[in-house]
Amino acid sequence: MFKLPAAFFTGVRTKELKENSCVVSVKHRWVNQNPFNSMFWAVQGMAAELTTGALVMKKIKGSGKKISMLVASNNASFTKKATGRITFTCNEGHKIDDAINKTIETGEGQTVWLKSNGVNADGVEVSSFNFEWTLKVKS
């Protein structure tokens, strides 16, 4: 709540955080809707980013090193109206390991693209987000 107050107030909640996957859900409500009675794209983006960011944070903590992280770029596609409960999942935590190992070995910044898909209660994809994370060992 204190680190991501906008996500908290719009209903974004982490449901599961494992070694290589993270699941976040958010329910379409009045506070997070757009004028077209579906979930605002930015709320979907917060939930999607959290799935990838939580994995990056977990992997950094596990490395025991001080590593900075920042989203350098992102893109998204929207394929269906987002209503009801939307669940975002990122299963690409294994990609982060390589980037962390390379930045530790070389001292140079590394980038990693992570994908998060949002599906409705029927399992139909409503949106897909890609985030390019930059990682660098702090000096």
Side-chain angles (χ1 to χ4, degrees):
M1 177 177 158
F2 295 108
K3 297 238 183 210
L4 298 169
F8 178 80
F9 290 121
T10 56
V12 174
R13 300 291 185 271
T14 303
K15 297 298 180 186
E16 182 177 276
L17 178 58
K18 293 184 177 178
E19 187 63 26
N20 289 307
S21 66
C22 183
V23 178
V24 171
S25 81
V26 58
K27 186 175 182 183
H28 171 237
R29 305 180 311 177
W30 174 84
V31 73
N32 63 23
Q33 75 179 1
N34 61 28
F36 311 107
N37 293 322
S38 64
M39 192 178 300
F40 185 51
W41 71 267
V43 174
Q44 294 179 65
M46 283 189 289
E49 183 183 2
L50 181 56
T51 64
T52 63
L55 282 171
V56 174
M57 290 171 62
K58 180 178 178 62
K59 297 285 188 171
I60 288 172
K61 185 174 182 181
S63 77
K65 301 288 185 181
K66 291 186 177 183
I67 299 173
S68 64
M69 58 185 275
L70 181 69
V71 172
S73 180
N74 76 299
N75 61 61
S77 62
F78 302 89
T79 52
K80 186 163 177 65
K81 198 171 184 174
T83 58
R85 181 162 302 279
I86 308 300
T87 303
F88 289 88
T89 305
C90 177
N91 292 312
E92 299 184 329
H94 61 280
K95 291 181 175 182
I96 304 164
D97 295 327
D98 292 336
I100 287 176
N101 290 336
K102 282 183 185 174
T103 193
I104 291 170
E105 289 172 14
T106 66
E108 297 176 4
Q110 301 294 316
T111 63
V112 59
W113 279 94
L114 300 173
K115 183 176 187 172
S116 181
N117 290 323
V119 298
N120 63 18
D122 295 328
V124 176
E125 183 177 290
V126 298
S127 60
S128 178
F129 287 79
N130 296 290
F131 296 93
E132 180 186 28
W133 286 95
T134 61
L135 305 171
K136 187 172 181 185
V137 174
K138 293 180 182 178
S139 51

